[in-house]
Amino acid sequence: PVFVGGESGTGKELAARAIHYGGTRAKRPFIALNCAAIPDALLESELFGHVRGAFTGADRDRRGVLSRAHGGTLFLDEVGDMPPKMQVDLLRVLQDGKLRPVGAEEEEEVDVRIVSASNKVLKEQVARGEFREDLYYRLNVVELRLPPLRERHGDVPLLCDHFLERIAEQEGRPRKRISPEALAALANHPLPGNVRQLEHLLLNACVMTEDEILHPVFEM
C-alpha cells in the first residue's frame, strides 16, 4: 500500500497511475474513486457493490470498485474524507481479503492493491480522532509527498512544454510557444492550484489569443 500526500492539483492520481503501470499489476485494472465526491449514503455501495433488492432502486446486482479492481489497483483519492463506518469496513477488507456486497449473504475474496491520497494531513486527523489509526497504518506503508509547484519552479518550463503540446493536439491547431517573460511570470507565481491551475492558465491563454507566442497578459 502506498499513500500519496500533497496539495490539490499536484498530480496525486498521476502518481498513482505511474505506481500501478510501473508494477507487476500493470495488466490488471486500475480503478479510481474520489471519496469526497460520493455521498455517504452511496459510498458503501460504490466500494463494496450491492445485490438486487438490497435497497430501494437496486434493480440489479452491481459490483463495487473493490471487486472491479480485483488483481489490480484501487486508487482512493481524498481518503481522509471517508466516513467512520466506511473506514471500519475498509479496514476489515484489508485485513481479511474478503468483502460482502450490500444485501449479500456470501463473502467474496478480493486481491487489490490500495494506493490512497489526501490533501489533508492524515496524522493530524488521527490525532483529532477523525481517522482510524489502525487504518492509517494499513494504508501508509509507503508514503510519498508531492511538493507544491511553488517548491519546484524548475518543473514549470517542462510542464508548459507538455501542456502546450497536448493542447495543440486536442485543438487540432499549431503548437503555440510561450515567451520568456510569460514563462518567468509563471515560474514566479505561487500557483496555489498547482499543476491543475497551470494547465488551466495555458489552455485559457491558447483559446483567448490568436498569437503564435503567449505573452504574460493572461489573468493569473
Side-chain angles (χ1 to χ4, degrees):
V2 178
F3 173 76
V4 185
E7 296 178 5
S8 294
T10 50
K12 296 189 288 295
E13 182 170 346
L14 188 64
R17 290 182 181 275
I19 291 168
H20 172 74
Y21 290 109
T24 57
R25 295 174 180 255
K27 295 184 179 180
R28 303 296 295 172
F30 175 91
I31 306 293
L33 178 70
N34 189 322
C35 299
I38 308 295
D40 291 0
L42 300 178
L43 186 57
E44 182 177 19
S45 174
E46 195 69 27
L47 277 171
F48 307 109
H50 62 256
V51 298
R52 181 180 178 183
F55 49 82
T56 302
D59 56 355
R60 58 186 176 87
D61 293 355
R62 185 176 187 277
R63 297 172 67 205
V65 292
L66 282 161
S67 295
R68 287 158 47 203
H70 180 71
T73 301
L74 174 61
F75 174 56
L76 294 175
D77 197 9
E78 304 305 344
V79 71
D81 291 301
M82 184 176 287
K85 182 182 184 305
M86 292 301 97
Q87 294 180 32
V88 174
D89 293 342
L90 177 61
L91 178 64
R92 187 177 300 115
V93 172
L94 298 181
Q95 289 175 335
D96 301 338
K98 297 179 180 179
L99 64 83
R100 180 177 295 168
V102 179
E105 296 182 358
E106 301 294 331
E107 291 185 325
E108 61 180 81
E109 293 187 358
V110 287
D111 169 24
V112 61
R113 180 185 193 177
I114 302 292
V115 178
S116 56
S118 179
N119 58 16
K120 299 179 179 179
V121 182
L122 288 190
K123 270 188 178 180
E124 295 178 0
Q125 287 189 277
V126 170
R128 293 194 298 266
E130 298 171 357
F131 198 85
R132 291 185 63 93
E133 185 175 24
D134 44 8
L135 179 58
Y136 169 75
Y137 287 116
R138 280 280 181 176
L139 296 175
N140 193 17
V141 176
V142 176
E143 182 174 1
L144 302 178
R145 177 183 176 272
L146 296 186
L149 204 50
R150 61 183 174 274
E151 294 180 11
R152 45 189 175 110
H153 290 166
D155 286 356
V156 171
L158 296 172
L159 289 166
C160 287
D161 188 63
H162 166 72
F163 287 133
L164 289 174
E165 187 72 34
R166 189 164 78 177
I167 291 168
E169 291 178 0
Q170 291 174 344
E171 298 292 322
R173 299 180 179 182
R175 183 188 183 281
K176 293 183 183 293
R177 293 181 292 137
I178 186 167
S179 71
E181 296 79 13
L183 191 58
L186 288 171
N188 292 321
H189 193 278
L191 292 171
N194 294 293
V195 179
R196 188 178 296 126
Q197 182 182 5
L198 177 63
E199 181 181 16
H200 172 78
L201 288 171
L202 291 171
L203 178 59
N204 179 265
C206 288
V207 170
M208 297 301 292
T209 180
E210 294 294 330
D211 295 341
E212 180 186 349
I213 299 177
L214 303 178
H215 296 283
V217 295
F218 40 92
E219 180 65 38
M220 293 195 294

